[in-house]
Amino acid sequence: MAEFRTISPVSRPVCGVIRPPGSKSLTNRALVLAALAEGESRLTGVLDSDDTRVMIESLRRLGLGVNQDIDGCRVEIKGGGGRIPADEGDLELQNSGTSIRFLTALCCLGQGVYRLDGNARMRERPIQPLIDALESWQVDVRSEHGTGCPPVLVRANGLRGATIQVSGEISSQYLSALLMVAPCADGNVSIEVQGELVSRPYVDMTLAVMRSFGGRIEEAETGRFRTEGGGYRGTDYKIEPDASAASYFFAAAAVTGGEVTVQGLSNVSLQGDIGFVDVLENMGCTVDWGEDAVTVRGGELRGVDVDMNAISDTAQTLACVAPFANGPTHIRNVEHMRAKETDRVSALVTELRKLGLDARERADGLTIVPGEMHAADIATYDDHRMAMSFAILGLRQPGVRILDPGCTAKTYPNYFADLDRLCVGAR
């Protein structure tokens, strides 16, 4: 793909209907649970992206049968019944946090030696809290270089019933990884969260998908989970469109005063990021909820002060809506974003300042003060959400060029084509 992409501003409000591809978060959870299930599962609405490709390839390397129909967005998996067929595996996960964390736990159900690695950025992303939890589960697992980051080496001998603890302060994915494998252990498992649990809606998503595959789990009190043995059963599972991806299209309506309907989502979505529309409503937009669609209509925007801990994957989207509001916007309680694909707090402030804005970094978030902007080349830091978010800002501000636009392939390979299709009537 080109080294940069110039975003063409619109001259009229953006109006239209769109259906984003399947949720990356749901796709990778469903793939893991289908791989662990007894019998065959059929997944529909499956996302095809870099993150899901490395997951599928890794499951194949672990000896599981995975048949993918990319054009039909379908995957069929013959599960291993809670066991890993291969007794060794060398898995390359690029910069997919869900993949490396979920698969580290999944490999512990095997009988053998497994190595999980990623790209240069992944080797900087912490995985020690998951390692600590697995070690308390009597698993031989370590950070190969002693950094607390990948590569990870697992010498597995199955999982037994236990009571374990895991930190929730950096990523909810550590807890989700443990929860998903726990029903396949030889005995009941209790998992206790230590400290604040960030991004709680993603854990609720994990629990919902586990139950769809027959997993037996309860949360007796907040942060204390108990699973029963028995594993999972193969099932037919439909994956929702990606609510994080939908945030960009909702934002397009907000910044241009338009009206955008996203199909396939509703107020009963499993994805917490659908809550982004509530933030837009607080800013002055109108939101209409349908049974299988959500519509956002733009209005006069006002700045907000918002805790985005639970929906931090949409914080970058909000940061690119904020310059068009009346008054400053404060994004709080998102310190864990610093351990994502890049330090997202610092990256946002740096790129907003390039545009001439007064953006201020804090330990737990940032403040954006609206003001006059000018053209700028936006660095994306190999972070798909930087590229997609600043493209929305470019719908209003001329001269925005997105560097390395191909990074959107991580979760949404056709993002720019879909955005152009939505905006064609406004240009």
Side-chain angles (χ1 to χ4, degrees):
M1 199 169 181
E3 293 182 2
F4 65 87
R5 185 182 186 97
T6 302
I7 305 301
S8 299
V10 297
S11 55
R12 292 182 294 279
V14 172
C15 298
V17 179
I18 194 164
R19 186 184 184 97
S23 161
K24 183 263 294 192
S25 298
L26 283 171
T27 294
N28 272 355
R29 283 164 172 78
L31 288 168
V32 166
L33 296 174
L36 291 174
E38 186 73 46
E40 187 169 274
S41 296
R42 289 163 291 276
L43 313 180
T44 55
V46 174
L47 173 67
D48 177 47
S49 71
D50 288 351
D51 276 16
T52 57
R53 289 170 196 157
V54 297
M55 174 65 84
I56 288 172
E57 176 58 26
S58 293
L59 293 175
R60 287 171 173 157
R61 290 190 181 191
L62 293 172
L64 293 150
V66 183
N67 294 316
Q68 183 179 19
D69 175 0
I70 293 176
D71 292 337
C73 303
R74 293 186 295 269
V75 168
E76 293 183 354
I77 299 181
K78 186 174 183 181
R83 298 295 176 261
I84 309 302
D87 59 9
E88 63 178 0
D90 193 354
L91 311 183
E92 172 54 56
L93 287 316
Q94 296 298 319
N95 198 15
S96 176
T98 55
S99 298
I100 201 163
R101 292 159 181 169
F102 295 174
L103 289 171
T104 294
L106 181 142
C107 285
C108 296
L109 291 166
Q111 300 283 336
V113 179
Y114 311 92
R115 183 178 183 272
L116 302 92
D117 200 2
N119 62 14
R121 173 58 182 169
M122 180 59 78
R123 288 188 169 199
E124 298 173 345
R125 297 179 68 180
I127 201 168
Q128 191 64 45
L130 179 58
I131 291 174
D132 291 342
L134 291 169
E135 285 183 329
S136 73
W137 208 344
Q138 306 304 309
V139 178
D140 183 355
V141 55
R142 63 184 177 88
S143 167
E144 190 174 71
H145 298 157
T147 60
C149 302
V152 179
L153 194 63
V154 179
R155 292 183 173 87
N157 189 29
L159 292 172
R160 290 151 191 83
T163 296
I164 60 175
Q165 294 79 39
V166 63
S167 171
E169 295 176 348
I170 297 176
S171 173
S172 65
Q173 290 174 5
Y174 308 138
L175 174 59
S176 287
L178 298 169
L179 288 170
M180 286 191 289
V181 300
C184 298
D186 184 14
N188 296 340
V189 177
S190 295
I191 304 173
E192 301 175 2
V193 178
Q194 303 295 302
E196 180 188 9
L197 176 61
V198 300
S199 304
R200 170 68 205 225
Y202 284 93
V203 175
D204 294 333
M205 178 196 300
T206 299
L207 299 175
V209 184
M210 289 172 64
R211 289 171 179 139
S212 293
F213 281 82
R216 291 180 288 180
I217 182 165
E218 61 180 16
E219 186 177 8
E221 58 183 281
T222 302
R224 291 178 180 265
F225 302 87
R226 186 177 184 274
T227 66
E228 296 182 14
Y232 302 101
R233 61 178 180 271
T235 191
D236 293 348
Y237 189 80
K238 183 179 180 180
I239 293 163
E240 298 175 351
D242 196 302
S244 306
S247 74
Y248 310 115
F249 305 122
F250 292 137
V255 303
T256 68
E259 179 176 317
V260 172
T261 297
V262 174
Q263 296 177 328
L265 295 173
S266 70
N267 59 0
V268 294
S269 169
L270 295 181
Q271 301 168 77
D273 281 356
I274 193 63
F276 179 72
V277 300
D278 297 330
V279 180
L280 293 181
E281 190 169 43
N282 288 335
M283 296 184 81
C285 295
T286 301
V287 179
D288 290 334
W289 297 92
E291 290 186 5
D292 193 44
V294 184
T295 299
V296 169
R297 285 190 295 276
E300 185 175 350
L301 299 177
R302 54 183 174 268
V304 290
D305 186 331
V306 58
D307 182 334
M308 299 197 76
N309 183 279
I311 56 171
S312 63
D313 276 352
T314 64
Q316 287 149 293
T317 319
L318 178 59
C320 291
V321 174
F324 305 104
N326 296 320
T329 290
H330 309 279
I331 298 173
R332 296 184 287 103
N333 204 14
V334 292
E335 186 174 1
H336 61 285
M337 283 172 52
R338 297 183 184 277
K340 296 281 190 174
E341 282 79 348
T342 188
D343 179 340
R344 286 178 167 171
V345 176
S346 178
L348 278 170
V349 169
T350 298
E351 301 311 309
L352 290 168
R353 285 177 175 172
K354 280 185 185 177
L355 289 155
L357 289 164
D358 178 4
R360 307 166 191 173
E361 181 174 352
R362 302 189 313 276
D364 79 327
L366 67 155
T367 294
I368 304 107
V369 180
E372 189 144 344
M373 289 185 281
H374 52 69
D377 288 352
I378 302 300
T380 50
Y381 306 82
D382 198 24
D383 183 349
H384 54 134
R385 300 204 186 282
M386 290 294 291
M388 292 189 280
S389 297
F390 278 88
I392 299 305
L393 189 151
L395 296 180
R396 284 278 304 274
Q397 171 57 44
V400 172
R401 296 202 310 177
I402 306 297
L403 306 182
D404 186 26
C407 68
T408 60
K410 186 176 193 297
T411 57
Y412 199 161
N414 295 322
Y415 171 71
F416 286 106
D418 284 356
L419 181 62
D420 284 345
R421 191 176 305 114
L422 182 68
C423 296
V424 66
R427 290 187 170 129

